[in-house]
């Protein structure tokens, strides 16, 4: 489903009760009436007429293909998407949109993806494209306005890309966002608003949010630290100080750290003539409190920890249209995957985050059935692996037995050969001569 799809509001004669209910839901109806679905693709019948598979990398034998399928463990067997099918290939496909601009409106880009394969390394992102695009040549070098979605490689890279184009240059988000890596369907939603704020949702839950001004290095920052600033000489950053009114007790310094042990007794066999005058051993003095120190009290002049102040950045020049992309004309999928098997579905471009949320809820109504189907498929897979392992063990054992039989035969033959005297063979040779 593509094109401008406006919801219309119809007014019918209502009873007092219905009128009350109608007035209650009127704000929501009004919002839906004003919202616009720019493009929505559920990959139903006729989807091939809207999408063009690219020939990019085909001459090198590296072009991927797509299959229309619900996958191996669907929540709904009738809910199909398009799945990458060729390993170690570049898969590219795109659809033309009714040209639109996100100026003065919220932009919502949402889609679902399911990695049925052990992807090892590869992408699962989607792109919005501006300007003219030769769809048969659409590929990794085609300029785009927005790239959004997961990128997985090994156990270390589980990145969620958000790359925006500004004045012909691509800027990745500075945050380290993580994507999902299991084998179930997941929805990725990117929302960009006219105030340049954004939200990223995964399965209808906010994963992150912020502003284009701070989370991309597109414009210089509004504020910078004043490198010339110095802490004022009278700035007191001591939170606690010694109590100036406290006085050391008289005789404090004369208290010894150790004293003779009052419980000690002179041994019975102590001989002063031989051992000298007996002295009790020293023990810690419980009255000794260590070197005297004034107690700490709150500093009445404490101003807090001094921080370098922020000042206006003289290099910052605001762009009120920072969030505005070049008019969008296409949506495309362009990924490289070591192992194919990712299913793309439920592509949505609109200006209403609430409608996008409803789409997720609608598809996830079958979430538990998908989980159950996956668990059943996993049981079958593990059973097959165990059976294959059993057969491999049996085959290995059979081969070891055969090698053992051959070895015993060779040993018997070698012993038989060794039992003959070498001269016997030479005598036969001379007789023949």
């Amino acid at each position: 489903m593509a094109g401008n799809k406006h919801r219309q509001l119809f007014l019918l004669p209502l009873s007092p009760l219905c009128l009350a209910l109608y007035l209650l839901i009127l704000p929501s109806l009004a919002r839906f009436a004003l919202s616009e679905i720019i493009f929505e693709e559920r990959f139903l019948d006729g989807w091939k007429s809207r999408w063009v598979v690219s020939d990019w990398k085909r001459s090198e034998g590296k072009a991927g293909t797509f299959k229309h399928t619900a996958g191996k463990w669907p929540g709904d067997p009738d809910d199909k998407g398009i799945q990458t099918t060729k390993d170690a290939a570049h898969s590219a496909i795109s659809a033309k949109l009714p040209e639109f601009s996100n100026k003065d409106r919220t932009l919502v880009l949402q889609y679902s993806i399911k990695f049925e394969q052990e992807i090892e390394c590869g992408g699962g992102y989607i792109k919005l494209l501006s300007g003219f695009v030769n769809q048969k040549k659409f590929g990794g070098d085609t300029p785009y306005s927005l790239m959004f979605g997961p990128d997985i490689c090994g156990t270390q890279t589980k990145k969620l890309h958000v790359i925006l184009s500004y004045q012909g240059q691509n800027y990745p988000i500075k945050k380290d966002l993580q994507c999902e890596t299991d084998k179930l369907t997941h929805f990725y939603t990117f929302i960009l608003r006219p105030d340049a704020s954004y939200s990223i949702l995964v399965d209808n839950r906010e994963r992150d949010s912020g502003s284009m001004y701070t989370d991309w290095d597109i414009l210089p920052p509004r504020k910078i630290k004043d490198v010339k600033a110095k802490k004022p000489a009278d700035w007191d950053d001591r939170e606690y100080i010694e109590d100036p009114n406290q006085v050391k007790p008289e005789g404090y310094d004369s208290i010894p750290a150790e004293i003779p042990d009052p419980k000690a007794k002179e041994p019975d066999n102590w001989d002063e003539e031989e051992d000298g005058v007996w002295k009790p051993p020293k023990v810690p003095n419980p009255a000794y409190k260590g070197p005297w120190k004034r107690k700490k009290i709150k500093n009445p002049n404490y101003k807090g920890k001094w921080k370098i102040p922020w000042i206006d950045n003289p290099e910052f020049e605001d762009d009120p249209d920072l969030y505005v992309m070049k008019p969008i004309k296409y949506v495309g999928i362009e990924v490289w995957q070591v192992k194919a098997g990712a299913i793309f579905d439920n592509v949505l471009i609109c200006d209403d985050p609430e409608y996008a949320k409803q789409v997720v809820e609608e598809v996830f109504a079958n979430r538990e059935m998908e989980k159950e189907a996956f668990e059943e498929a996993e049981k079958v897979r593990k059973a097959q692996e165990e059976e294959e392992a059993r057969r491999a063990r049996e085959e290995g054992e059979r081969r070891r037995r055969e090698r053992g039989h051959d070895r015993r035969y060779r040993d018997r033959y070698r012993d038989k050969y060794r039992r003959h005297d070498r001269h016997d063979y030479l005598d036969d040779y001379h007789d023949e001569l």
Side-chain angles (χ1 to χ4, degrees), residues 402-418:
E402 290 180 353
R403 287 197 299 269
H405 175 76
D406 292 344
R407 187 177 299 110
R408 289 193 297 272
Y409 178 78
R410 289 195 303 269
D411 290 345
R412 288 197 299 272
Y413 182 80
R414 186 169 55 249
D415 292 341
K416 180 179 179 181
Y417 175 79
R418 286 175 177 172

Side-chain angles (χ1 to χ4, degrees), residues 105-129:
R105 68 195 300 193
T106 297
L107 170 65
V108 180
L109 172 61
Q110 177 174 280
Y111 72 106
S112 68
I113 186 168
K114 175 167 62 172
F115 291 108
E116 287 195 339
Q117 77 280 40
E118 298 289 349
I119 189 170
E120 292 186 5
C121 196
Y125 32 78
I126 196 167
K127 296 178 178 181
L128 294 183
L129 314 168

Side-chain angles (χ1 to χ4, degrees), residues 72-73 116-118 120 183 339 374-394:
K72 299 176 183 177
W73 44 84
E116 287 195 339
Q117 77 280 40
E118 298 289 349
E120 292 186 5
K183 295 183 178 182
K339 288 188 177 180
F374 171 70
E375 290 171 359
E376 187 62 30
E378 281 294 281
K379 290 179 182 178
V380 173
R381 181 186 65 81
K382 290 178 180 178
Q384 290 175 343
E385 288 181 350
E386 291 173 359
E387 177 63 19
E388 291 173 0
R390 183 188 65 80
R391 291 178 180 178
R393 287 194 299 270
E394 292 178 352

Side-chain angles (χ1 to χ4, degrees), residues 238-244 246 293-299:
R238 299 172 301 161
E239 188 173 358
Y240 293 89
I241 59 172
E242 294 181 349
D243 184 357
Q246 189 180 15
K293 295 179 181 178
R294 288 188 173 91
K295 292 181 179 180
K296 296 283 187 176
I297 61 171
K298 283 278 189 177
N299 182 3

Side-chain angles (χ1 to χ4, degrees), residues 29-231:
L29 292 174
R31 187 188 73 248
F32 284 124
L34 296 175
S35 65
E36 182 180 2
I37 301 174
I38 298 161
F39 180 85
E40 185 171 16
E41 182 62 80
R42 304 287 185 97
F43 293 100
L44 304 175
D45 292 342
W47 70 272
K48 288 186 177 180
S49 64
R50 295 183 291 275
W51 293 81
V52 177
V53 177
S54 175
D55 290 330
W56 188 58
K57 297 289 184 178
R58 196 168 303 282
S59 62
E60 304 172 29
K62 298 179 180 179
T65 55
F66 291 89
K67 176 175 67 174
H68 190 224
T69 178
K72 299 176 183 177
W73 44 84
D76 178 1
D78 295 326
D79 184 4
K80 298 180 179 181
I82 55 173
Q83 183 179 40
T84 56
T85 59
K86 185 177 180 180
D87 294 345
H90 298 265
S91 303
I93 190 170
S94 63
K96 191 172 183 180
L97 314 176
E99 182 177 323
F100 75 95
S101 171
N102 69 317
K103 184 174 175 63
D104 298 326
R105 68 195 300 193
T106 297
L107 170 65
V108 180
L109 172 61
Q110 177 174 280
Y111 72 106
S112 68
I113 186 168
K114 175 167 62 172
F115 291 108
E116 287 195 339
Q117 77 280 40
E118 298 289 349
I119 189 170
E120 292 186 5
C121 196
Y125 32 78
I126 196 167
K127 296 178 178 181
L128 294 183
L129 314 168
S130 303
F132 172 75
V133 174
N134 184 338
Q135 291 178 264
K136 294 298 290 182
K137 295 183 179 180
F138 166 57
D141 53 358
T142 303
Y144 57 83
S145 293
L146 168 63
M147 186 177 108
F148 173 57
D151 191 6
I152 301 170
C153 197
T155 58
Q156 300 299 318
T157 302
K158 304 174 183 178
K159 191 174 185 62
L160 178 56
H161 284 295
V162 190
I163 303 177
L164 295 170
S165 177
Y166 180 78
Q167 295 183 357
Q169 184 172 342
N170 294 336
Y171 294 89
I173 193 169
K174 294 189 290 184
K175 295 180 177 179
D176 183 17
L177 304 177
Q178 300 291 298
C179 65
E180 302 299 312
T181 58
D182 60 40
K183 295 183 178 182
L184 298 175
T185 298
H186 292 285
F187 273 86
Y188 291 91
T189 310
F190 179 67
I191 303 171
L192 182 61
R193 306 177 186 87
D195 62 355
S197 66
Y198 71 92
S199 295
I200 297 170
L201 284 71
V202 178
D203 298 339
N204 263 351
R205 296 180 180 178
E206 186 172 273
R207 181 64 57 90
D208 213 306
S209 62
S211 171
M212 285 182 64
Y213 284 99
T214 56
D215 296 340
W216 282 265
D217 286 327
I218 299 176
L219 299 180
R222 290 178 181 271
K223 299 282 186 178
I224 58 173
K225 290 184 176 181
D226 185 0
V227 295
K228 297 180 180 179
K230 295 181 179 180
K231 184 171 69 173

